[in-house]
Amino acid sequence: MWKISLSTIKDACAAAKNYYPDEFMCFLGGNEKKNIINEIVLVPTTNGEEFSSVWEGVIPIDKSILGSLHSHPGSSARPSEEDKKFFQKYSINVIIGGRFEQNDCRFYDNRANPLKIEITD
């Protein structure tokens, strides 16, 4: 089971709130062997009210980057067809919905299947 630190979730939710009404996008770093996510990795992104995107050339070549995270302002945290395609590249993917609170976070694997996550201190 994947574990994610509470501080990482709180930081991501705060960033999503700051980007509103645009989507927020970042990457998640941690330790794949221990299934731990404990950092947000920021890279230059293009953001709008109904999209976020990244040119993959700016993503560091770093084995600690394990997943993606983006927000869906004002809507559900269900993945779109474009999200599902993007998710294929990462072990864990997070969508933060509507209110940008911890309970609005949904976690998915690389096939857009829901994941159970343990939130740690």
Side-chain angles (χ1 to χ4, degrees), residues 59-87:
I59 302 170
I61 299 172
D62 184 342
K63 290 183 181 186
S64 71
I65 295 177
L66 306 174
S68 72
L69 180 146
H70 73 280
S71 64
H72 279 182
S75 67
S76 77
R78 286 183 298 217
S80 67
E81 290 305 313
E82 287 300 313
D83 292 338
K84 290 176 183 179
K85 290 176 192 172
F86 189 74
F87 286 2

Side-chain angles (χ1 to χ4, degrees), residues 23-27 41-48 51-60 65 67-70 86 89-90:
E23 283 193 10
F24 167 70
M25 181 180 202
C26 69
F27 292 89
V41 179
L42 299 173
V43 299
T45 58
T46 303
N47 310 78
F51 74 95
S52 56
S53 64
V54 63
W55 177 60
E56 293 190 42
V58 300
I59 302 170
I65 295 177
S68 72
L69 180 146
H70 73 280
F86 189 74
K89 302 172 188 177
Y90 300 98

